Amino acid sequence: MILNGYAGTVLRVHLTDGRVEKQPLPEKLAEEFIGGRGFVARTLFDELPPGADPLGPENLFVMATGPLSGHFLPASGKTHFGCKSPATGGYGDSNMGGHFGPAFKYAGYDMLVLTGRAPVPSLLVIEDDRVEIRPAGGYWGMGSLSVEAKLKKDLGEEFQILTIGPAGENGVVFACITHDFGRQAGRVGIGAVLGSKNIKAVAVKGTGDIPAGDARALYEEGKKAYRAVRAKPGFTGWTPEGTAGITDWINRVGAFPTRNFSTSYWEKHPDINGAAILRELKITDKGCYCCPTPCGKYGRARTGLGDVYVEGPEFETIALLGSNCMLGDIAEVGHANYVCDELGIDTISAGVVCSWAIECFEKGILNETAVGRTVRFGDLASVVYLLEQIAHRSGIGDLLARGVREAARQTGRGSESFAIQVKGLEWSGYECRNAPGMMLAYMTSDIGAHHARAWVLGHDLAGTDANVHELIASGGGAGEKLPKSRPRGRARYVVDSQHTRPLFDILGICRLQYMELGFEPEHYERLFEKVTGRRMTWSELLGVSEKVWHLTRSISAREIPGFGRSFDYPPERFMTEPVPDGPNAGHCVTREEVDILLDEYYALRGWDANGIPTAETLARFGLADVAVTMAGWACHEPVRQS
């Protein structure tokens, strides 16, 4: 049966014995979970053995595209990845732009499921119907960027390639997957899972096509969509600096993580902002498949450690490797970005782990014998040293490669209080002691502390439904001193955002046109209908996203002993140390306020007081089979931190 919008095949590769299976994409899966993140979550729930070792052969590596992936529509190049996360022990997924997903669909596949472990380091090479597991040979041990260049030469430029670096090979729990010389599936340690399966790279070349419900109407609708994006007022303003363009505003409102989140404002921000990229680094813009607003910046970073070419830095990298490690020169941030890309390390987690280690060194918790040298904030050589140690799990790197939660647990001596993470995933680029809604978004993100699941900072600042882009343009929220924000009423904004933003991961299309430019929901309704032949309203599409949210929470409840409310608390630093300076000086969130946030959130979600989806809620979203197995999971009474 032809499923419009889909290639129609699930590719399963059993690495232990080399078997390759091609199965029809289940019609029910497409109808109920649409694609991308939905396919990943449902597959993990159905097929992941409960209690699997995240770095063992029993874990699954799942990759899926969405129905809009690969069609000639604005920014339709997204690919989704999932596994049991080695960073958190629970549900994990990560998203990537670039060109791989469309090529995979053109080869005839919607989803890839890797099971087992290859006997030797290997490559997975897919060329339309031909699927081969080849020895990795001399590729093992190479950096992510270097091996992609070599594979392009060896296989052909037309191949689209996913790679891991030494960090993935060595099981660093925040290792990433790299593609297109700078696109990453960065979070949750997806690169470590691929490395644990002895897969160095996945290369695909596809020459087929994808059926559409109404190809002629889709062509016309796609042209309308491009014209609509180009007509948006922010179209020309967004592209030059990309995500780095928000840096000044984030600092101005006191949300810029600095010195391991000890404060939220840094006077050196003009040296590492979007304008600094244009002035010091940028060579050209770089976009993903079919993107009319290329946010990637490809440039050259010149430092005392050498010259490198790098895509970026994105805002998150600026925040975590820049201000959080106090690298005050954009070329230094770019160099650290390049090192992470080549080693195959997520820049967000890397920045948090490095800044924690440096603070430990400053406080005498770690000494020169333990670390191997002096390390200090604001020193590029210190950061690069730590990154190299982490990737190769050498010396102090073996501790840091476990992530900041586990490193702090093993180190003790008060270091847990400034280990900035939730559920084991390091906090990304917004300091939130005076942004309770944004803090709640981090606390309740299903994969751990991650900004891409919900972004409500504008609501925290405005206290209204004001458009965040208008706030940024007007300087809204800025001032000598911002008033203390209150927690009540924030949960609704977070819940709504947690349905909207992940919906794009399900559809297989970039969210930035919607989020940054205000590209209207009705465009997506029409595009979905023309692609699939199915008519779904925006509200109905959001309902699928909400269903997936309940499912991913349930997976973590199954996989993590004692999972529940206590896993949603923010770092201790945010509840005990007021911001020392800047617009939010004196502010922090209290434990009482955290519980108010969680109580409101759980009630809106239809979860119990411990943050576990109830059987009634699961059944209401068509997840009755999940509810049936609930009784066997480790669900406990509410646990509040004291």
Side-chain angles (χ1 to χ4, degrees), residues 350-364:
V352 176
V353 169
C354 287
S355 64
W356 175 85
I358 294 171
E359 183 168 350
C360 283
F361 190 87
E362 281 193 342
K363 286 179 161 61

Side-chain angles (χ1 to χ4, degrees), residues 91-319:
Y91 172 81
D93 69 21
S94 195
N95 197 267
M96 175 190 286
H99 305 266
F100 188 90
F104 186 68
K105 283 185 79 172
Y106 298 153
Y109 312 102
D110 299 292
M111 184 161 60
L112 170 68
V113 182
L114 299 182
T115 64
R117 173 184 169 90
V120 297
S122 302
L123 311 173
L124 179 61
V125 181
I126 303 165
E127 187 171 359
D128 293 326
D129 289 337
R130 188 171 65 187
V131 180
E132 298 179 341
I133 303 171
R134 303 180 184 177
Y139 302 112
W140 199 258
M142 293 181 67
S144 295
L145 306 175
S146 298
V147 76
E148 184 173 2
K150 182 168 174 53
L151 284 168
K152 285 274 189 178
K153 181 178 179 181
D154 294 347
L155 298 176
E157 286 288 338
E158 64 273 24
F159 276 86
Q160 300 297 331
I161 303 170
L162 308 175
T163 67
I164 63 168
E169 297 171 6
N170 294 322
V172 176
V173 303
F174 46 95
C176 63
I177 294 173
T178 295
H179 160 64
D180 197 29
F181 304 100
R183 296 285 90 192
Q184 277 81 28
R187 312 247 59 198
V188 310
I190 192 75
V193 173
L194 197 60
S196 74
K197 296 190 174 300
N198 255 342
I199 296 296
K200 179 65 175 178
V202 181
V204 63
K205 176 183 175 183
T207 60
D209 54 18
I210 312 167
D214 189 334
R216 185 175 295 277
L218 178 61
Y219 172 70
E220 294 299 328
E221 198 64 48
K223 288 197 297 183
K224 290 179 185 177
Y226 277 105
R227 287 195 292 265
V229 169
R230 293 179 63 85
K232 290 297 176 184
F235 175 73
T236 56
W238 163 251
T239 297
E241 297 180 10
T243 61
I246 202 174
T247 304
D248 290 350
W249 183 73
I250 294 300
N251 190 68
R252 193 161 66 242
V253 301
F256 201 34
T258 301
R259 201 180 181 92
N260 193 29
F261 288 84
S262 62
T263 188
S264 61
Y265 178 87
W266 198 28
E267 68 279 358
K268 289 182 67 65
H269 71 94
D271 296 327
I272 58 172
N273 62 7
I277 290 177
L278 299 185
R279 185 175 64 247
E280 304 290 341
L281 298 186
K282 181 178 172 181
I283 296 171
T284 187
D285 296 319
K286 184 167 178 273
C288 300
Y289 179 87
C290 282
C291 183
T293 54
C295 65
K297 310 298 142 203
Y298 195 75
R300 183 179 184 184
R302 302 171 175 87
T303 71
L305 298 184
D307 291 3
V308 297
Y309 291 91
V310 63
E311 181 180 341
E314 301 279 357
F315 168 73
E316 297 295 329
T317 303
I318 287 172

Side-chain angles (χ1 to χ4, degrees), residues 365-388:
I365 298 171
L366 295 174
N367 57 27
E368 191 167 336
T369 299
V371 176
R373 55 159 286 172
T374 296
V375 290
R376 61 182 187 273
F377 284 110
D379 178 44
L380 176 61
S382 295
V383 173
V384 170
Y385 169 79
L386 291 173
L387 295 174
E388 293 279 359

